[in-house]
Amino acid sequence: MKRLGRELVSWARFFWTTLTSMRTALILLFIPGLAAIPGSLLPQRPTNPSGVRNWLAANPGWAWIDRLGAFDVFGSAWFAAIYLLLFVSLIRCILPRTAQFAKALRAQPSPPPGRLVRLEGFTSVPAGDVPAGDVTAQLDAAEAHLRAHRYRVRRDADAISAERGYLREAGNLVFHICLLTTLVGLAWGSLFSFRGSAIVVEGQAFSNTLSQYDEFGSGAAFNASWLSPFTIRLDQFRVRFETGPTQTGAARAFDATVTVTGADGEVGQSELQVNAPLQLGGDSVHLLGHGYAPVVTVRDGQGNVAFSGPVVFVPVDANFRSDGVIKAPDARPDRLAFEGVFLPTANATAAGMVSVFPDALNPRLLLNAWAGPPKAETGVPENVYSLDKTGLTQLTTGDQPVTAALAVGESLTLPDGKGSVSFDGWKRWTKLQVSNTPGGSLVLLSVMLAVMGMAVSLSVRPRRLFARVVGLVPSDPAAGDASAERGASVEFAGLDRVEGRGGLAEEVAALVAAVVPPATEQEEP
């Protein structure tokens, strides 16, 4: 048992040493980048659930990768494990280095090495060439020069050693600490963030509740009760398209006038623009897209209004040709449905009617009609942009399907007394995105500080300079102050703590010049 215990301790030490090594930290930094590749290539369930369903339907043989978390990479257990190991490794690397740096700041520079001749810029000056020739004057001149150039100086009886460049390690530590806080901010945002979108038609409103969203994704720790209580009513949506010969039809501006009702019941009007989101209770409201919603009225075979109002159509090209479905499940005696195409600026061609400009200059609504017996309500949600034709039959006149190209104010009467549909007008809709990503400010600040720390680390030159009196001759006590300590020669040298940095020989020469005037300076190789 003791042997087994020793082996377990040995393996635990090996695992801990390996995990907390710098090499492992670099590998763990590289792995999330690789792991993010499937997250960028494949649709992700939190943000695009319909895209995941469509991808799996188109690639049934690859359904097994769903069990590996390929469609929720950043929320998978294995990605969280990599994240956690990276945290541990970084913390273990940062703490000892911080302690060592704090110790180095309190300590004096190390004394000169035994043989300065091996260092770069070595220079030896005979004591006879040094003015005054006494040790104190020589070392005082060297110390004054080094302190003036922001060196930390250590003064001994016969030598001076100086060091600068401590900010290099400080910048390095700032970079690694900010890398850690960036990961903390990203994890914080990933756990507690949410993002949802909803399409709102002019004249309608959106309330910030979970049931009002068309699409919604959130972090694992998000709670729906945290949604800020507010309501946005879309009063007007304005779009301006390019009409000139260059980039005709390109969107030049679009913005919305909205009425906002806060949690306290206070009502106010605001302008919502692209790249200028509203901030409501900590949530950001963005404009994402826009389109058209034809306003239609459907009457059933009994003359009753089975449906009336705007229907969202989805743009499919640059000229805003839009597809949509109109459903009247409550029509009697048969339920009715229509497949439609909205053309903002319709133009007849040999191939049929097309839209030639994205603005609604000559709107047309193209329809074909379907009917079928009433369908029992099952509570199962249906896609509002596609028509389930189960139990429906396309209406025809003779052998030809019933179709129509309606202008505003026109209507289509269905055969066999099935009812009618009228095109009453159109409205614009916009897609609102409401999001909240806590930790974003922490990430931004951390990245900025990390860049600054890296810039300092790359630009600061950690360097040491040395000066030493060799062959020291003690002063004669009988002569009093008239006889000072003298040296046979004064040696100078320098040491760069980072390879590939120039200018060390020049700094040594400047130190020599501060002690020995250039006119009397002599160098011995």
Side-chain angles (χ1 to χ4, degrees):
M1 291 297 293
K2 290 183 178 180
R3 181 179 179 182
L4 178 60
R6 287 195 297 269
E7 290 182 355
L8 290 175
V9 170
S10 176
W11 278 105
R13 286 177 177 173
F14 171 76
F15 174 78
W16 180 251
T17 303
T18 303
L19 175 62
T20 57
S21 67
M22 182 59 68
R23 178 181 299 179
T24 303
L26 293 175
I27 293 174
L28 289 173
L29 278 172
F30 180 66
I31 289 178
L34 289 178
I37 292 177
S40 60
L41 297 178
L42 298 174
Q44 298 296 289
R45 187 167 281 110
T47 57
N48 189 9
S50 60
V52 173
R53 290 193 297 269
N54 295 336
W55 195 95
L56 290 174
N59 304 274
W62 288 85
W64 58 272
I65 66 174
D66 193 14
R67 294 192 294 271
L68 302 178
F71 299 106
D72 188 10
V73 169
F74 306 107
S76 62
W78 55 267
F79 192 85
I82 295 173
Y83 220 87
L84 182 60
L85 291 175
L86 179 59
F87 266 106
V88 174
S89 182
L90 283 175
I91 291 172
R92 178 60 180 84
C93 291
I94 289 171
L95 290 180
R97 290 183 61 177
T98 304
Q100 292 173 5
F101 179 66
K103 183 178 179 181
L105 287 178
R106 296 192 301 269
Q108 286 189 327
S110 57
R115 299 187 64 183
L116 294 181
V117 69
R118 297 181 177 180
L119 303 183
E120 185 176 349
F122 173 75
T123 303
S124 179
V125 180
D129 295 335
V130 179
D134 66 282
V135 174
T136 302
Q138 296 161 13
L139 297 183
D140 285 346
E143 181 179 0
H145 171 81
L146 292 169
R147 291 192 184 278
H149 287 78
R150 300 187 301 276
Y151 279 87
R152 295 180 62 193
V153 178
R154 170 178 177 149
R155 176 79 176 263
D156 295 320
D158 62 345
I160 279 183
S161 58
E163 185 173 0
R164 74 176 182 187
Y166 289 88
L167 283 179
R168 175 183 173 84
E169 181 63 13
N172 209 349
L173 285 173
V174 167
F175 172 78
H176 285 86
I177 292 172
C178 288
L179 179 61
L180 185 62
T181 56
T182 299
L183 295 176
V184 171
L186 292 174
W188 181 14
S190 178
L191 287 172
F192 298 100
S193 65
F194 80 90
R195 178 178 297 174
S197 60
I199 289 178
V200 184
V201 180
E202 286 179 315
Q204 296 183 356
F206 163 79
S207 295
N208 192 28
T209 59
L210 204 58
S211 60
Q212 292 273 294
Y213 284 99
D214 299 325
E215 296 176 345
F216 189 86
S218 63
F222 177 78
N223 191 314
S225 63
W226 298 343
L227 292 173
S228 302
F230 62 81
T231 299
I232 296 179
R233 177 185 173 87
L234 181 61
D235 299 325
Q236 185 180 12
F237 188 82
R238 297 173 295 276
V239 184
R240 181 170 59 86
F241 296 100
E242 177 62 53
T243 57
T246 304
Q247 296 184 332
T248 303
R252 294 308 184 197
F254 58 94
D255 56 82
T257 300
V258 297
T259 299
V260 180
T261 304
D264 55 0
E266 183 177 350
V267 179
Q269 198 169 64
S270 301
E271 294 295 320
L272 183 57
Q273 300 176 341
V274 179
N275 298 326
L278 291 178
Q279 300 296 328
L280 302 174
D283 299 342
S284 299
V285 183
H286 294 260
L287 283 177
L288 284 192
H290 62 97
Y292 293 97
V295 180
V296 298
T297 299
V298 178
R299 295 183 180 274
D300 60 18
Q302 298 176 353
N304 299 319
V305 175
F307 174 83
S308 181
V311 181
V312 172
F313 277 41
V314 180
V316 296
D317 64 17
N319 286 323
F320 275 69
R321 176 190 183 275
S322 305
D323 295 344
V325 174
I326 303 168
K327 301 179 183 180
D330 297 327
R332 296 294 183 268
D334 293 326
R335 59 188 172 105
L336 301 174
F338 304 86
E339 290 179 317
V341 175
F342 180 77
L343 305 175
T345 303
N347 187 38
T349 66
M353 297 190 72
V354 297
S355 178
V356 295
F357 193 74
D359 209 354
L361 305 180
N362 183 32
R364 291 289 188 274
L365 181 61
L366 312 184
L367 296 174
N368 59 45
W370 298 73
K375 182 180 178 181
E377 294 290 343
T378 61
V380 178
E382 292 185 5
N383 190 334
V384 296
Y385 304 114
S386 64
L387 179 61
D388 182 5
K389 299 175 183 176
T390 304
L392 295 176
T393 302
Q394 187 171 15
L395 298 181
T396 59
T397 301
D399 295 334
Q400 299 298 319
V402 173
T403 61
L406 304 179
V408 175
E410 296 181 346
S411 61
L412 168 66
T413 300
L414 303 178
D416 302 326
K418 299 290 186 182
S420 65
V421 57
S422 62
F423 179 26
D424 303 328
W426 56 271
K427 294 183 178 182
R428 297 188 188 274
W429 59 260
T430 185
K431 189 173 186 179
L432 300 179
Q433 176 182 281
V434 184
S435 61
N436 191 334
T437 306
S441 299
L442 177 62
V443 171
L444 177 60
L445 179 62
S446 298
V447 170
M448 294 174 61
L449 291 177
V451 172
M452 294 173 59
M454 181 57 67
V456 170
S457 178
L458 294 175
S459 60
V460 172
R461 300 180 177 184
R463 181 165 287 172
R464 292 175 179 173
L465 293 180
F466 307 102
R468 180 167 56 200
V469 179
V470 181
L472 184 66
V473 178
S475 61
D476 184 0
D481 294 338
S483 175
E485 291 182 330
R486 304 175 65 84
S489 63
V490 183
E491 295 179 345
F492 302 89
L495 175 64
D496 249 338
R497 298 177 61 189
V498 178
E499 296 182 0
R501 297 295 178 92
L504 177 59
E506 290 77 2
E507 290 208 29
V508 175
L511 176 60
V512 175
V515 179
V516 184
T520 61
E521 179 182 334
Q522 297 180 3
E523 295 188 358
E524 293 182 359

